[in-house]
Amino acid sequence: MSLKSTLEIDIVKATTSKIDSVDFENLLFGNIFTDHMLVCDFKEGAWQKPIIKPYEPFMIDPSAKVFHYGQAIFEGMKAYKDENDDVWLFRPDENFTRFNKSAVRMAMPEVPEDIFIDGLKTILEIEKEWVKKGLGNTLYIRPFMIAIGSGVIAQPSTQYRFMIILSPAKSYYSGEVKVIIAEHYSRAANGGIGAAKAAGNYSAQFYPTKLANAKGFQQIIWTDDATHTKLEEAGTMNVFFRINDTLYTAPTSERILDGVTRKSLIDLAKRDGLNVEVRSVLVEELVNAAKDGSLKEIFGAGTAAVVSPIVAFSYQGTEYQLPKVENSFAQQLKEDLTKIQYKLAEDTFGWTVKV
């Protein structure tokens, strides 16, 4: 995938920048946005010319199908700045491919590579001062598409809007994370849209997560919809389990998102000589491992949080504490990954792409 821009994009620069008013040391994730946004509409069967313009609200018809039938998808990516002030992306081809897989599943038009990639490159060049140096500093990238066609008849829209907005970020989760294993609610079902990064997947999680929060847990480990015996994802992340010295994670499926961080951690673990098994892990296995002391670690993996260690889980009213281990796989893999992303270690996989 090339990041050489060949796309014609209209650019309207903001008259002033709000960057000097931002406290980059105390950022609340996803709350502050940069000065510009990319907008590109699909209408009359074709993608129109993209425009980069000042970040601002916009108007759409109250009957727009995104409001009534939930045609909305998104991606999560990050930009990183190295010590030479160069800006880098991490595996943008994976996000581009997954975005269009989501589009197909939601009966939305696929976004051409030049609009997605060249548009992203151009807006990052404009907003490069928002990408701060130093480990932990990133610029979170949110490409998304919504149905803007009007009318409340239950059918796909004929008009769509693709956008990219940017948000400076530090850590996603802070403090210790405890989870509860789902016994009733499900994140996704076979034949559904669990493998798509569709907005509705996340809104459906809010209520059961609210119930978990009320019990003192930050997130839920989701189980399969049919039997609730297979461990699948943790909150909005893929999830890994270390039992003795083997790392386990569930295979991707119609119910489980094909996470970019997940697949990167698997490759890094194999490179480092760690034992990795991609297979379904049963709730019973996890509980038994917690009881006999063989369960060493649980951690979530995703773009926003990168790696999020879990300190305890609850199942059927019993809480199980995770031990504090030396030579944590979670810490090792997070360091391996972030060093590549920030160009502090050689990228032997060819994952990083210079803007």
Side-chain angles (χ1 to χ4, degrees):
M1 173 174 288
S2 172
L3 282 191
K4 292 183 178 179
S5 179
T6 59
L7 180 70
E8 289 189 10
I9 303 176
D10 287 335
I11 298 174
V12 179
K13 290 285 191 74
T15 55
T16 59
S17 175
K18 55 181 177 279
I19 192 170
D20 290 337
S21 66
V22 176
D23 181 358
F24 284 89
E25 295 304 314
N26 296 285
L27 293 168
L28 183 63
F29 186 89
N31 231 33
I32 301 294
F33 295 93
T34 65
D35 297 316
H36 299 88
M37 61 186 188
L38 180 141
V39 182
C40 187
D41 286 352
F42 179 92
K43 60 183 180 180
E44 298 177 352
W47 286 100
Q48 308 301 300
K49 190 177 183 181
I51 180 170
I52 292 174
K53 57 192 292 188
Y55 184 96
E56 62 185 1
F58 59 88
M59 294 178 61
I60 56 176
D61 196 286
S63 70
K65 291 185 185 292
V66 65
F67 299 136
H68 303 274
Y69 301 112
Q71 277 189 292
I73 61 172
F74 68 94
E75 273 297 321
M77 310 167 65
K78 285 181 177 177
Y80 310 83
K81 183 172 281 186
D82 66 17
E83 289 304 310
N84 297 317
D85 287 327
D86 290 322
V87 177
W88 297 82
L89 291 168
F90 182 74
R91 308 189 77 174
D93 54 326
E94 293 285 347
N95 295 98
F96 168 70
T97 299
R98 189 174 64 184
F99 188 87
N100 278 337
K101 286 181 179 178
S102 298
V104 169
R105 181 61 183 85
M106 298 297 290
M108 305 170 83
E110 295 182 62
V111 175
E113 182 177 318
D114 59 351
I115 292 176
F116 190 104
I117 295 297
D118 291 356
L120 176 56
K121 174 184 181 295
T122 304
I123 194 170
L124 284 174
E125 288 175 341
I126 292 171
E127 305 286 50
K128 61 185 178 182
E129 294 305 314
W130 287 82
V131 192
K132 298 301 182 181
K133 288 192 292 189
L135 280 172
N137 295 320
T138 62
L139 186 64
Y140 184 76
I141 302 164
R142 175 53 64 90
F144 66 99
M145 178 164 51
I146 59 173
I148 60 171
S150 59
V152 295
I153 185 171
Q155 64 184 28
S157 178
T158 58
Q159 296 184 44
Y160 297 88
R161 178 160 294 166
F162 171 70
M163 299 184 64
I164 299 175
I165 57 176
L166 309 170
S167 177
K170 284 184 141 341
S171 62
Y172 187 69
Y173 293 113
S174 59
E176 295 186 338
V177 176
K178 298 197 300 181
V179 298
I180 189 167
I181 294 177
E183 298 177 52
H184 173 70
Y185 294 102
S186 299
R187 177 188 172 274
N190 285 331
I193 59 172
K197 211 160 171 62
N201 287 338
Y202 296 81
S203 59
Q205 296 182 34
F206 292 161
Y207 176 67
T209 302
K210 180 180 178 180
L211 297 180
N213 294 161
K215 295 179 180 179
F217 298 92
Q218 285 70 46
Q219 285 292 350
I220 296 172
I221 292 186
W222 303 103
T223 50
D224 68 291
D225 63 299
T227 68
H228 293 291
T229 61
K230 298 175 182 177
L231 299 160
E232 301 208 319
E233 293 196 8
T236 58
M237 301 178 289
N238 296 116
V239 63
F240 288 81
F241 309 95
R242 175 186 173 187
I243 299 176
N244 289 319
D245 283 328
T246 299
L247 198 59
Y248 299 90
T249 192
T252 56
S253 68
E254 290 181 305
R255 303 185 308 271
I256 298 176
L257 191 70
D258 186 11
V260 178
T261 303
R262 170 192 173 276
K263 64 178 65 178
S264 303
L265 293 181
I266 291 171
D267 288 344
L268 286 169
K270 291 178 177 177
R271 184 202 68 179
D272 292 348
L274 304 180
N275 295 321
V276 183
E277 289 191 24
V278 179
R279 68 163 176 84
S280 294
V281 178
L282 302 179
V283 176
E284 182 181 20
E285 282 185 84
L286 192 71
V287 170
N288 288 339
K291 288 179 177 178
D292 67 24
S294 60
L295 178 62
K296 306 300 182 184
E297 296 180 74
I298 305 174
F299 57 90
T303 298
V306 187
V307 172
S308 183
I310 291 166
V311 300
F313 73 91
S314 175
Y315 180 64
Q316 293 185 339
T318 300
E319 186 171 314
Y320 300 88
Q321 299 290 323
L322 274 292
K324 294 187 181 298
V325 297
E326 295 183 4
N327 303 316
S328 158
F329 284 8
Q331 186 61 34
Q332 176 185 340
L333 292 171
K334 182 176 183 178
E335 288 179 3
D336 286 349
L337 185 60
T338 53
K339 283 180 179 178
I340 291 174
Q341 291 169 331
Y342 287 89
K343 307 302 290 183
L344 297 175
E346 184 182 0
D347 175 15
T348 58
F349 297 97
W351 288 337
T352 52
V353 179
K354 188 176 178 180
V355 174

